[in-house]
Amino acid sequence: MQPSYSNSNSSSSISGQTDFQQLWERWTTLGDRLYDDPKVAKVMNTRVGRYLSSHPFLALTVMLFSAMAALPVGLFLLFALVTIIMSTAGFFFFELFLLFVGGVTLLCVLSGLALFSTLVSLIVNAFYITIFNILKYYNQPAKVQEKESECETSKLTDPQ
């Protein structure tokens, strides 16, 4: 279904001019309100503000560049923030991992040392007991021989 164009060409141009005038008035009101803001007035009184006021094409270019650069700069800052957070978290988890590995390694080394010292102690005690008994055994016949020789000499000297 096609719309009907009952209005003449002149009435549509009058309607278009009225819409344009209303739009222009809104933009003018918005611009005046913006210029009346004390922060904007302070910026516009600076050297750069006066220069941009006298060069509207450059001001529009700067404004468009600023608006279009906001998204990439924002994304980059978000990327930097996420990277910093992730590297901090990664560093934290890496440090925990290293501490865990170091703790397990220390536990293994200390367990090995405990086992080694126990085995060495058992071996040394076994050698000590063995050597002590061997020396006791070899020293004992000499004492027995001395007692026997003493008994024999005493029997020879004591006739009963």
Side-chain angles (χ1 to χ4, degrees):
M1 184 187 262
Q2 293 181 346
S4 63
Y5 294 108
S6 63
N7 292 345
S8 68
N9 198 8
S10 65
S11 67
S12 76
S13 67
I14 292 173
S15 170
Q17 285 180 347
T18 315
D19 290 341
F20 181 72
Q21 286 176 350
Q22 288 176 353
L23 184 63
W24 182 259
E25 287 174 8
R26 287 181 190 165
W27 277 103
T28 306
T29 306
L30 183 65
D32 290 342
R33 193 173 350 149
L34 187 66
Y35 274 116
D36 290 340
D37 190 332
K39 293 179 182 177
V40 174
K42 187 176 181 180
V43 170
M44 292 307 287
N45 287 333
T46 64
R47 190 172 171 184
V48 174
R50 285 190 302 255
Y51 183 79
L52 289 177
S53 283
S54 64
H55 296 86
F57 182 75
L58 183 63
L60 180 64
T61 304
V62 168
M63 185 182 74
L64 283 175
F65 176 77
S66 299
M68 292 175 69
L71 181 66
V73 169
L75 288 175
F76 175 76
L77 291 176
L78 180 67
F79 171 74
L81 181 67
V82 168
T83 303
I84 289 171
I85 290 171
M86 292 301 290
S87 65
T88 303
F91 179 74
F92 177 72
F93 287 124
F94 185 68
E95 283 295 318
L96 283 178
F97 173 73
L98 286 180
L99 285 173
F100 175 74
V101 168
V104 169
T105 304
L106 181 64
L107 179 67
C108 291
V109 167
L110 291 178
S111 299
L113 284 175
L115 182 64
F116 178 75
S117 63
T118 304
L119 289 175
V120 168
S121 175
L122 286 173
I123 290 170
V124 167
N125 281 333
F127 280 142
Y128 175 74
I129 291 170
T130 304
I131 291 172
F132 179 73
N133 285 333
I134 289 173
L135 290 176
K136 183 178 172 185
Y137 177 75
Y138 282 118
N139 285 336
Q140 186 180 12
K143 290 181 182 178
V144 170
Q145 288 175 357
E146 288 178 12
K147 283 185 180 181
E148 287 178 4
S149 61
E150 286 178 11
C151 285
E152 288 177 7
T153 54
S154 65
K155 284 181 184 179
L156 292 175
T157 55
D158 281 336
Q160 297 177 359

